[in-house]
Every structure is written in C-alpha cells, then in structure tokens.
Amino acid sequence: MAIRVRFAPSPTGELHVGGARTALYNWLWARQDGGVFILRIEDTDLARSERRFTEGIVDALRWLELDWDELYFQSDRLPLYRRYVEALLEKGLAYPCFCTPDELAARRRDRLARGQIPEYDGHCRRLTEAERARYLAAGRRPAIRFRVPEEAKATAFSDFLRGEVRFRRLTTGDFVIQKSDGTPTYNLACVVDDHEMGITHVLRAEDHLSNTPKQIWLYEAFGWESPRFGHLSMILGPDRKKLSKRHGATSVEALRAQGFLPEAVVNHLALLGWSPGTGQEVFTRDELVGAFSLRQVQLSPQVYDLQKLRWLNRQHLLRLPPEELLARARPFLGGVAAGVARDRLLAALDAVRPAIATLTELAAHPDLAVLLRPPDLPPEVRAELAAAAAPRILEAVLARLPRSLGRDDLRPLVQAVADEVGVPRTHVFHALRLALTGRPEGMELALVCAVLGADEVRARLELALEGEGRHG
Ligand code: GLU
Ligand code: ZN
C-alpha cells in the first residue's frame, strides 16, 4: 500500500529550516514511493495563528517546489473535532474541567513547593453532576480534559527511525483536548486528522517525541489503529545550541530574500540528517528523489551551517544556463539592469557569477554595475587619467583597438601600447582599468573588455579622454 504522509505546520511564524526539512523529507518519501503528500495547516490556535503566516508558509513551500497532493485547513474542520471530543465525553474517557488559569497556577505552585510533579492534579475528574451544574450556572466555560489511564503512564512505542522509545514516567496529568473556547488542542486535532486523512507514517522532529504517547493513548481511546511514528533529530546552530535568530537567516523566506536558490536550500536541507554515503554533496531535486532514503537518516543533532549553504548555492548558481541565471537574478537587479541590452546583461551576469555566492551579492557586486553602464569617474580618477602618460596611453589604445575584442586580445594590445608609449605594461593596464571601470581594482580586465565589446570600450575611452578636457 502506498504511504500517505503529511507536513502539518502551525501558522504562528515563518517556515523555518527545521520545519522545511520535515516537509522535504516527507515530500521526498512520498515522491519516491508513489505515495501521497498532504499539507495540513494547523491553525486552530486562534490567538497565535495568523493568515499572513499561512500565506508565507504556502509561498515558501511553493518556492521550494514541494508540491502537495491534498491541502487541509484545520480551521475548516472545527465541528469534526467537537464531534470526536463529544464521543470521548460520552464514553467517560474525557471530562469537563472548570478550573480557571489562576486556580491551576496556584495549585501548580503548591505541588512544586511540596516537591511533586506540577501536572494537573485531577481536580475535576470526579465532579458530580450538581457541581458541574453549579460551575456552569456561575458562567464558567469548561475545557475538556482527556482522562489519562493510570496504566498508560509508563509508555513505550516503536519509532520507525529510532527503534523502541521508552518513557519511564511521563509528566503529564490529564491533558486538555478542547479549550474553553471550544477549539481543539494540537494533540486532539492532530490525532483526529491523521486518522481521518489515512496517514500511514508520521515523520516529524524530535521535539514532538513527548507528544507521541499522548497521541497513542488517544488512538487507543478512539479504538483506532495508530500510524507509525518516526522522529528526526533536532537542527542546531554552528555553536551547537538550538537554532534561533542569532544564527542568521533561518527562515526559508529570509533565505529567499538573501538570494539563495531553492535548489540549494533543498540540497542543504536534505543533507541535514541524511547522508548518501557516497560523498556526493551537490544534488538536483531529481537526484534527491532518486537517492534519498530514510535508512540513511542520522539521529545525531544536525548543524545548520550557513557557510555550507553558501557553498552549495555557488555550486547551483554555477550550473544555471545564462538565460536561467538572468531569470533568477531579475528580481534582485532592480535599477542596475534598467535599460541594459539583454545580451550585455547575460554576459555581465555570467562574468560576475564566479565571484559571488548569492543573487543579492551578484546584484550588488561593483563589477556588475561597471559592466552594465559607464561609471561616473570620481575626481581623483579624472585627475589620474589627466596626469603623466595616461592620456597618451588611452589614445594609443584607441588607435589600436581592434573591431572585435575577445578575452585573448587584450594582452597583445597592452604590450603594443606599452612599447609605443614607453611605459611598463602595468601602467597601461591601470590606466585602462580606471578609464573603463572608474576603479583601481575589479575583475580581470580582459574579461571586462570581452563583456563590454570593442564599441563600448571605445566609447568609454573617448568619454574618459573628453572628461579630461583635451577636446574641450
Ligand atoms: N503543528 C505541529 C507543529 O507545527 C505539527 C506537529 C506534527 O507533525 O504532528 O509542530
Ligand atoms: Zn479542573
């Protein structure tokens, strides 16, 4: 039977690296297996969920090209969860809890003071009908708690990645499955949906490990077969602390804005907990679908490394055909590219790309601006171009400029000019660079000339000579 797996983000923030990896692994597994990949937005927490976060997560997944086969919003399914909570109430497997947050907090403090586990103390477990009626009459809206069976508290389950996971004693009293506003909690909605959606395998990160026994008790209470559970390792920052904002861009949105390619992000995410065992590091999406295997998943914590991502991004950038590079770079170019001929743009991006790791760096690279339009020569550059042999050098270059200027044509030209003017070659290179780019350093000059072409080189040299006042 084909697997049915899901990614179930809560829209309470951006899609972060950890969530994106969970999504990717589920997606890869489904795509490999002819299975079904479900996207389920867990937006029942009305106070913390925001529409803009849902949109951001959906956009980020689209950008990563992790396409889903089915999409659900839990907020569309509230009556369903209510029905199932009712069913548990009827069976006596759940009960209303009228405790207020203040009362709960006070009793929690008491338990702590007495050295007890600060779990729910079961206060409302045995309320009589009359007591319930009194609370209701006093206007209290109850939450609904699941009655955790005593024998369930020492629990083990078999994790399909980790093998047997055993909990000696879970510090969980009867937990809330429906809040006093009538919305379900995560564990309840998750179980109902994983069941209703026919999920065969729940693959998620280690931080949910302690939810799994609660969910298994719920399956038992409903009389349902539970899916199989597998928990991935956590992702840490390079300092081996829990990944957070301190570690730089950790949301997919931020990585996108910084000019990372989706294929590089996917590549890096895949390697955060999976290793092909062949030493290969650069993978296309298709290669990943072919090579990925849960059997090679690593359970040790994984280090998210922006330097590694930058390296991968470079590799993927270098592989793009020039047209594709332009398409990807376009949104980052802004004004720099305005009015520039397409051929020049293609050649310039191609020439600058070995020097950069991200599309933002490409767009902001000083060499790019210089290749796209004539520079404004700063006063000190003008002064230098007017002094000593510089004007003669530029004149001599102009006089000898061939009709077409390939990358190999510059060296002989410079040599000839140096001989003619009687200066070292470096002086010729320097004057030319200043006149063409307005800066004393930058990419290989022969490449600058090849991208600009003979006509543009001529125009810029004439401009530099004019500015220097000779024809004024
Ligand atoms: N909404 C939960 C989260 O974002 C889903 C956890 C799960 O996969 O069950 O952490
Ligand atoms: Zn209570």
Side-chain angles (χ1 to χ4, degrees):
M1 194 185 71
I3 58 161
R4 290 175 63 84
V5 292
R6 80 319 190 262
F7 175 53
S10 305
T12 55
E14 293 180 347
L15 179 62
H16 283 264
V17 170
R21 182 195 56 173
T22 300
L24 174 64
Y25 282 21
N26 278 286
W27 180 86
L28 283 170
W29 193 8
R31 290 297 168 262
Q32 230 166 33
D33 218 63
V36 174
F37 176 63
I38 292 171
L39 174 59
R40 183 170 79 219
I41 305 294
E42 303 210 321
D43 55 353
T44 61
D45 187 338
L46 305 175
R48 295 177 61 230
S49 303
E50 288 185 39
R51 232 199 118 71
R52 66 186 172 109
F53 290 134
T54 298
E55 284 162 6
I57 291 167
V58 165
D59 272 358
L61 291 171
R62 286 218 173 96
W63 181 71
L64 294 172
E65 292 183 43
L66 304 183
D67 56 324
W68 48 89
D69 305 304
E70 299 171 22
L71 169 65
Y72 302 93
F73 292 85
Q74 286 191 327
S75 56
D76 290 341
R77 301 161 63 82
L78 296 176
L80 178 76
Y81 310 124
R82 295 267 203 124
R83 273 212 308 283
Y84 281 118
V85 169
E86 280 302 322
L88 291 182
L89 283 168
E90 272 162 33
K91 288 202 257 179
L93 298 174
Y95 60 88
C97 166
F98 294 91
C99 301
T100 64
D102 286 348
E103 290 166 354
L104 291 171
R107 298 209 307 270
R108 197 184 135 85
R109 275 195 303 274
D110 282 357
R111 288 179 73 90
L112 277 172
R114 285 194 306 251
Q116 292 173 323
I117 297 169
E119 61 190 11
Y120 181 68
D121 57 6
H123 179 271
C124 300
R125 258 191 173 208
R126 277 168 290 272
L127 293 183
T128 63
E129 276 313 314
E131 285 167 321
R132 287 181 184 165
R134 253 202 318 279
Y135 276 127
L136 284 172
R140 290 205 187 185
R141 293 271 139 265
I144 308 297
R145 286 184 187 269
F146 179 64
R147 194 186 290 275
V148 175
E150 222 17 74
E151 67 281 8
K153 286 202 174 173
T155 291
F157 72 92
S158 161
D159 184 296
F160 63 75
L161 297 176
R162 295 163 184 259
E164 186 174 81
V165 178
R166 194 167 270 289
F167 295 84
R168 243 190 285 130
R169 188 190 186 292
L170 278 163
T171 55
T172 174
D174 294 345
F175 55 90
V176 173
I177 54 176
Q178 182 175 293
K179 290 179 255 182
S180 57
D181 66 3
T183 59
T185 58
Y186 155 68
N187 279 312
L188 187 279
C190 181
V191 164
V192 166
D193 278 347
D194 284 341
H195 170 73
E196 288 274 323
M197 295 169 191
I199 300 300
T200 57
H201 297 79
V202 171
L203 175 61
R204 60 189 172 197
E206 202 177 342
D207 50 343
H208 284 289
L209 210 48
S210 64
N211 283 318
T212 301
K214 297 184 190 176
Q215 297 184 2
I216 290 174
W217 303 332
L218 285 170
Y219 282 104
E220 284 168 2
F222 284 120
W224 297 334
E225 191 189 329
S226 84
R228 302 204 54 209
F229 295 93
H231 294 87
L232 298 165
S233 62
M234 297 307 287
I235 298 179
L236 307 176
D239 56 0
R240 306 199 66 86
K241 301 235 169 68
K242 192 173 175 322
L243 197 59
S244 75
K245 288 222 164 58
R246 286 180 295 119
H247 295 113
T250 60
S251 76
V252 173
E253 219 163 78
L255 292 174
R256 178 182 186 177
Q258 290 189 6
F260 288 94
L261 300 175
E263 50 268 58
V265 175
V266 159
N267 193 159
H268 187 42
L269 291 174
L271 295 176
L272 281 175
W274 166 74
S275 149
T278 59
Q280 183 179 351
E281 293 199 283
V282 182
F283 288 87
T284 65
R285 182 184 314 272
D286 287 346
E287 286 169 344
L288 282 176
V289 172
F292 181 80
S293 162
L294 284 175
R295 271 190 296 281
Q296 292 153 316
V297 160
Q298 281 137 20
L299 296 175
S300 52
Q302 297 295 309
V303 173
Y304 169 70
D305 181 354
L306 209 52
Q307 291 313 318
K308 178 74 175 290
L309 175 57
R310 286 174 59 80
W311 180 82
L312 284 169
N313 207 52
R314 256 179 73 83
Q315 308 312 311
H316 284 279
L317 276 169
L318 289 170
R319 289 174 169 208
L320 295 179
E323 293 283 345
E324 186 62 23
L325 178 64
L326 173 56
R328 307 292 190 98
R330 217 19 126 187
F332 294 86
L333 291 175
V336 222
V340 177
R342 190 179 171 78
D343 283 348
R344 169 76 68 77
L345 207 46
L346 287 170
L349 291 172
D350 195 37
V352 177
R353 89 165 117 177
I356 53 89
T358 66
L359 292 170
T360 41
E361 289 173 7
L362 179 60
H365 202 286
D367 285 338
L368 183 68
V370 153
L371 293 177
L372 296 183
R373 63 185 81 248
D376 287 326
L377 300 182
E380 64 280 10
V381 169
R382 288 180 182 288
E384 222 186 312
L385 286 176
R392 274 183 296 134
I393 292 173
L394 300 186
E395 297 277 13
V397 173
L398 269 175
R400 290 169 178 272
L401 203 60
R403 209 179 282 281
S404 93
L405 195 55
R407 203 165 165 175
D408 298 329
D409 299 330
L410 187 67
R411 223 156 228 294
L413 175 64
V414 166
Q415 183 66 63
V417 169
D419 292 345
E420 181 188 323
V421 184
V423 291
R425 273 202 315 253
T426 50
H427 290 203
V428 180
F429 274 116
H430 181 68
L432 252 181
R433 181 182 289 285
L434 283 183
L436 294 176
T437 73
R439 301 165 59 232
E441 69 265 321
M443 73 165 57
E444 186 199 335
L445 200 58
L447 188 52
V448 172
C449 291
V451 172
L452 294 179
D455 289 347
E456 175 75 10
V457 167
R458 177 183 306 283
R460 289 192 185 187
L461 292 179
E462 282 170 352
L463 215 61
L465 281 166
E466 248 172 55
E468 171 258 318
R470 285 170 68 95
H471 309 282

